[in-house]
């Protein structure tokens, strides 16, 4: 029971703030369009033994130097967790809706506003694709404190986030989200549950369409 409580404490802080603070631009990560390498970084953190599982559920990743226009407002409803390799996390769980807004798209760079539960952010992310199929991706670095049993532990996480779908007149069809841990460390000396590199969570829009939605 104690280990589950530790896990829930960290999980609430870590994944309840799924997109709480993207900081891609702090490591000279803005590069010329067509020369981004983040998608490679994100995918190579998955061990080879897990890639078949990841690929089978997430599917192919649309690539290309001329992505479709994804500007607009959308809602992922319901947001359904479909796969993870982290213990204690059940599958087929419905989570709070994700509200997305994309604006100021300049080919492969776009501003993303996101609202999930109590979390909100605005940041610049990357997009690539071909015809109506697209991939949005970025690397997130964030640090936060986790209270636990009258203590507070500092956590630092680096992860890749991938979103993909197909632009339609009604929204994004076949919309999916992947969150992949690249680095994670804390100063709890084992009190908090640990997430090794390659830990991943896959989500989809439960009805297959992230609908157009003004918010």
């Amino acid at each position: 029971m104690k280990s589950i409580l530790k896990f829930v404490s960290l999980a609430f802080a870590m994944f309840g703030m799924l997109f709480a603070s993207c900081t891609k631009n702090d490591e000279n990560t803005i590069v010329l369009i067509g020369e981004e390498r983040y998608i490679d970084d994100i995918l190579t953190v998955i061990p080879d033994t897990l890639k078949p599982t990841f690929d089978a559920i997430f599917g192919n990743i649309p690539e290309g130097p001329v992505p479709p226009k994804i500007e607009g407002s959308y809602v992922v409803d319901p947001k359904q967790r479909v796969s993870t390799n982290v213990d204690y996390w059940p599958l087929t769980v419905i989570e709070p809706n994700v509200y997305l807004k994309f604006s100021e798209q300049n080919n492969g760079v776009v501003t993303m506003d996101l609202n999930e539960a109590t979390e909100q952010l605005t940041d610049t992310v990357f997009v690539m694709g071909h015809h109506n199929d697209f991939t949005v991706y970025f690397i997130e670095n964030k640090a936060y404190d986790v209270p636990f049993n009258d203590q507070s532990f500092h956590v630092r996480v680096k992860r890749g986030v991938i979103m993909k779908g197909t632009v339609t007149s009604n929204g994004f069809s076949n919309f999916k989200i992947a969150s992949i841990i690249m680095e994670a460390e804390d100063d709890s000396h084992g009190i908090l549950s640990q997430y090794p590199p390659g830990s991943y969570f896959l989500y989809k829009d439960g009805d297959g369409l992230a609908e157009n939605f003004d918010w």
Side-chain angles (χ1 to χ4, degrees):
M1 182 67 178
K2 181 179 179 182
S3 63
I4 294 177
L5 288 175
K6 291 191 296 183
F7 180 86
V8 171
S9 298
L10 178 57
F12 178 79
M14 186 173 184
F15 292 99
M17 301 185 295
L18 178 61
F19 301 101
S21 58
C22 308
T23 56
K24 307 164 303 313
N25 301 344
D26 61 353
E27 296 179 337
N28 297 318
T29 56
I30 296 297
V31 297
L32 295 175
I33 299 302
E35 296 185 3
E36 303 93 333
R37 290 294 178 265
Y38 301 123
I39 202 72
D40 294 332
D41 293 339
I42 291 169
L43 295 180
T44 54
V45 301
I46 304 175
D48 290 339
T49 54
L50 295 177
K51 285 183 179 179
T53 300
F54 181 88
D55 293 344
I57 297 176
F58 197 71
N60 70 299
I61 294 175
E63 299 184 56
V66 185
K69 181 179 179 180
I70 64 171
E71 292 178 328
S73 299
Y74 312 90
V75 59
V76 181
D77 177 18
K79 175 191 172 190
Q80 182 177 345
R81 188 187 315 136
V82 295
S83 182
T84 180
N85 59 354
V86 177
D87 292 338
Y88 302 113
W89 279 82
L91 299 181
T92 63
V93 172
I94 302 301
E95 300 191 2
N97 292 350
V98 177
Y99 298 89
L100 294 166
K101 186 179 297 180
F102 295 103
S103 60
E104 301 178 349
Q105 182 176 352
N106 182 6
N107 194 24
V109 178
V110 63
T111 297
M112 181 183 73
D113 293 276
L114 183 146
N115 188 320
E116 181 179 23
T118 59
E119 303 303 326
Q120 299 181 24
L121 73 87
T122 298
D123 209 339
T124 300
V125 298
F126 296 103
V127 57
M128 63 181 179
H130 182 64
H131 294 313
N132 290 326
D133 298 326
F134 70 91
T135 302
V136 169
Y137 59 103
F138 54 92
I139 289 178
E140 175 192 48
N141 291 281
K142 67 178 178 180
Y144 51 89
D145 294 323
V146 177
F148 182 78
N149 285 352
D150 299 323
Q151 302 179 73
S152 182
F153 300 111
H154 188 68
V155 178
R156 186 186 67 83
V157 176
K158 178 180 181 180
R159 64 179 180 167
V161 177
I162 311 171
M163 304 178 185
K164 74 166 192 173
T166 301
V167 176
T168 74
S169 59
N170 297 315
F172 298 149
S173 65
N174 301 315
F175 189 73
K176 296 182 180 180
I177 302 172
S179 174
I180 307 164
I181 301 299
M182 302 175 71
E183 299 174 10
E185 61 182 18
D186 61 66
D187 59 1
S188 72
H189 303 290
I191 293 178
L192 298 178
S193 296
Q194 309 299 304
Y195 294 91
S199 300
Y200 69 83
F201 294 79
L202 303 183
Y203 305 88
K204 70 176 183 179
D205 189 295
D207 62 10
L209 180 70
E211 294 94 342
N212 297 327
F213 185 83
D214 290 330
W215 58 276

